[in-house]
Amino acid sequence: LRSAEEFPTQFYQVQAEVPGSPIFVMKLANKARHLEVQILADEYGNSISLFGRDCSVQRRHQKIIEEAPVTVANATLFQDMEKAAVRLAKMVGYISAGTVEYLYREDGKYYFLELNPRLQVEHPCTEMVASVNLPALQLQVAM
């Protein structure tokens, strides 16, 4: 939507198309980037960030190019994103390797998308930057 006035009409239209289904309303993030934070957490409540990736170059919702480390956001802001990812892992009692995904806007604001509870296909980018073997670490945490 481009204006608040459009909301009622559009909401009722969606409501009619999917009766009884939940409707999620999200803020539009124009020119957003898709940034990810790789996390590792254990059963003792320890959680760390292993840097991040910029996965903004996509085609049909499939990532084509993954870049690490993240350079589009300034270092202080990305550290905030990493801290938020670590806090999330601790809050939910997460155990394993995982990825916290965000939408990042040019104005420096970022929005949580999801926590993927698995290694993603682009994990080698993080391995190269962090000098770690993520599948091996994931197995160590599991044992």
Side-chain angles (χ1 to χ4, degrees):
L1 301 174
R2 300 288 177 200
S3 71
E5 291 77 31
E6 295 178 43
F7 182 79
T9 304
Q10 297 297 321
F11 181 82
Y12 294 127
Q13 181 180 343
V14 170
Q15 203 173 33
E17 290 176 12
V18 287
S21 295
I23 298 171
F24 298 93
V25 178
M26 298 170 51
K27 185 173 184 167
L28 176 65
N30 272 342
K31 300 179 184 176
R33 305 290 296 240
H34 182 142
L35 304 184
E36 301 180 344
V37 175
Q38 183 73 56
I39 58 168
L40 186 66
D42 67 19
E43 64 183 302
Y44 304 105
N46 300 307
S47 180
I48 61 170
S49 165
L50 295 169
F51 304 107
R53 301 181 290 263
D54 183 343
C55 302
S56 300
V57 180
Q58 299 184 17
R59 182 173 184 263
R60 296 184 182 154
H61 306 291
Q62 294 296 312
K63 298 168 191 165
I64 296 174
I65 297 173
E66 296 89 19
E67 300 177 70
V70 170
T71 58
V72 69
N74 73 54
T76 303
L77 182 78
F78 194 74
Q79 287 173 356
D80 288 343
M81 294 171 80
E82 289 178 295
K83 289 175 185 175
V86 168
R87 275 195 315 274
L88 173 64
K90 289 180 177 186
M91 284 173 39
V92 301
Y94 186 76
I95 301 171
S96 191
T99 305
V100 177
E101 299 188 11
Y102 297 101
L103 281 182
Y104 168 76
R105 292 191 338 192
E106 291 176 330
D107 63 4
K109 293 184 179 174
Y110 60 92
Y111 304 91
F112 171 77
L113 284 176
E114 65 181 331
L115 166 59
N116 281 319
R118 58 181 166 77
L119 285 182
Q120 293 187 234
V121 70
E122 59 272 14
H123 77 270
C125 293
T126 299
E127 289 182 320
M128 291 174 65
V129 172
S131 298
V132 297
N133 180 332
L134 283 170
L137 289 174
Q138 189 176 29
L139 285 172
Q140 285 180 323
V141 166
M143 297 175 153

